[in-house]
Every structure is written in structure tokens, then in C-alpha cells.
Amino acid sequence: NAGVTQTPKFRVLKTGQSMTLLCAQDMNHEYMYWYRQDPGMGLRLIHYSVGEGTTAKGEVPDGYNVSRLKKQNFLLGLESAAPSQTSVYFCASSYSNLKQIGDNNEQFFGPGTRLTVL
Amino acid sequence: AQSVTQLGSHVSVSEGALVLLRCNYSSSVPPYLFWYVQYPNQGLQLLLKYTTGATLVKGINGFEAEFKKSETSFHLTKPSAHMSDAAEYFCAVRTYGKYGNKLVFGAGTILRVKS
């Protein structure tokens, strides 16, 4: 199993350009997440999905859109990139997100995408 | 709302010394707590987690953490630091939202190990 993969690994954009980050998982996980990581701020949740065809906003959703057309893929889009979106983006997935005693809530992370917006 | 505070953005220890990374949480419900490690240029890897049961949790690479409800803490320890432990460590607490559960992360602590 490849686990969680992300493409691309690196990208440089100019202000106003658009791009899509792809996350794929082969663990048949229901739940997927997009985070951004900035120095001194930990990981902040952008959007997440609790199943194919569903998405929800996280802490910092502005300027991003997502889609979950297939269970194994979770796409993060930037329609008009801004320098404030320069960051490292991580995708994660988990098997169960239910509020149940003993459920396995571990999130598995991809290797990250380093994005620079000039 | 649940939140996490990690005390100390940088911790430096000598090889062989005790590692102590501090995490305090805020939660209105019994918390599920996690420690993740991030090696340079890599994603996050789960070290250990507390859900229910035993309050002393053992993880990978010799790390352990103790859940102390009275102190709202979940500090990470390792008796003897190794050079390979140099990394950034994140504490996280599970939150409960309308569309499912999420993790809230602390700001992270960078561990340096001196030879």
C-alpha cells in the first residue's frame, strides 16, 4: 500500500494563478482532510470530507475549494493564489470519524506539498 | 471548544538525557489526545494516542505520555534522547463537530538533540 500520496511535491505560482493539489489514499478510508502548516502555528484544517461527495469547512477555508468525487481522492483548489497561501499543505485520511468509544481515529498523513506564491 | 497548548517552541537536550515535551489541553468532554512526530521534509507520523483506559500510554521509539486529568496535561517523555529523535512534535486533541470529528493541533515543539 502506498498510503496517502500527494501531488505535486513542490510548486511555485504567481499571484492570481490557479492550481489543484491532488491527494490519493489506498486504504479505503472514509474521511479525508486538508491542512496547511505554517511556522509557529501548527497544522490548521482547511476543509475536510466525511465521505464521497461530501465536504465541510475547517478553520481556514477562505480562498480554497475542495472536491471529493471519488472516495480515494480529495482535491484542493486555489482559484486565485495569494502570497498568504504560501505554505506546506498536508493531506490526511482516517478510517473512522465517528463519535464512538474505541474507534480508531488515527489520521494518516501524506508527505506534503510545498507551495510558494510570488 | 477543544484546544491544545504546547509549552516551548524549541527544546534542546543532550544525547542520553531525558526528553520532556509539554502539552496542556482544554476540553469540555473526555478528550482523545495524540502525539505526532514530523521529521524534516516529511509528513506527520503518529507516536501514540490516549483514548480511554490506562493513563500511561506507550508509543513508538521509546516515547510515552501520561494523561493527567487533574492537570489537563498530556506530556511526552523519553528516558534517553537519541540523535534520531531530533524532529518537530505536535500534540493534538480530537474535537467534535457538526460534520464529524476533527483534530486540533498545538503549535509544535522542535526537539534538538546535542551530541
Side-chain angles (χ1 to χ4, degrees):
Chain A
N1 287 349
V4 180
T5 58
Q6 293 182 231
T7 53
K9 288 186 170 52
F10 303 93
R11 186 72 184 269
V12 178
L13 292 178
K14 295 181 180 178
T15 297
Q17 287 185 316
S18 63
M19 79 162 294
T20 300
L21 282 67
L22 171 64
C23 176
Q25 52 93 6
D26 61 2
M27 296 174 282
N28 201 34
H29 285 171
E30 286 292 331
Y31 305 94
M32 298 186 74
Y33 314 82
W34 275 108
Y35 295 90
R36 60 177 289 172
Q37 182 181 28
D38 302 290
M41 303 188 76
L43 274 75
R44 293 180 291 168
L45 184 64
I46 304 172
H47 287 281
Y48 62 110
S49 169
V50 300
E52 182 178 324
T54 70
T55 62
K57 294 181 180 180
E59 301 172 63
V60 289
D62 294 343
Y64 305 95
N65 56 76
V66 288
S67 64
R68 184 96 181 270
L69 298 179
K70 294 182 179 180
K71 185 177 183 179
Q72 63 268 34
N73 295 337
F74 194 30
L75 278 63
L76 178 71
L78 286 72
E79 290 186 349
S80 180
S84 61
Q85 294 178 304
T86 293
S87 187
V88 181
Y89 292 85
F90 287 99
C91 176
S93 69
S94 66
Y95 174 71
S96 170
N97 202 20
L98 298 176
K99 191 175 179 179
Q100 294 176 351
I101 298 297
D103 73 314
N104 185 355
N105 202 58
E106 177 183 352
Q107 291 186 17
F108 293 81
F109 284 80
T113 296
R114 189 172 297 273
L115 175 66
T116 301
V117 183
L118 303 175
Chain B
Q2 284 78 6
S3 66
V4 170
T5 302
Q6 291 183 241
L7 300 176
S9 59
H10 293 79
V11 170
S12 184
V13 301
S14 298
E15 193 173 19
L18 171 71
V19 175
L20 171 61
L21 305 182
R22 300 178 186 273
C23 172
N24 288 88
Y25 69 90
S26 166
S27 178
S28 56
V29 298
Y32 280 24
L33 296 158
F34 304 79
W35 275 101
Y36 281 85
V37 60
Q38 183 181 29
Y39 298 104
N41 300 313
Q42 294 186 26
L44 277 70
Q45 178 184 1
L46 182 69
L47 266 181
L48 49 82
K49 65 179 178 181
Y50 169 78
T51 54
T52 58
T55 56
L56 182 62
V57 181
K58 294 188 184 298
I60 61 173
N61 301 338
F63 284 93
E64 61 183 35
E66 186 172 11
F67 169 63
K68 291 187 177 180
K69 183 178 179 181
S70 61
E71 299 177 6
T72 61
S73 68
F74 191 56
H75 302 331
L76 182 71
T77 61
K78 182 175 181 178
S80 177
H82 192 272
M83 296 296 287
S84 61
D85 295 327
E88 188 163 15
Y89 294 79
F90 293 93
C91 183
V93 63
R94 192 172 74 168
T95 71
Y96 303 98
K98 179 179 178 181
Y99 297 104
N101 301 337
K102 298 170 285 185
L103 292 182
V104 172
F105 287 85
T109 297
I110 295 173
L111 175 66
R112 293 199 180 98
V113 182
K114 300 176 290 185
S115 59

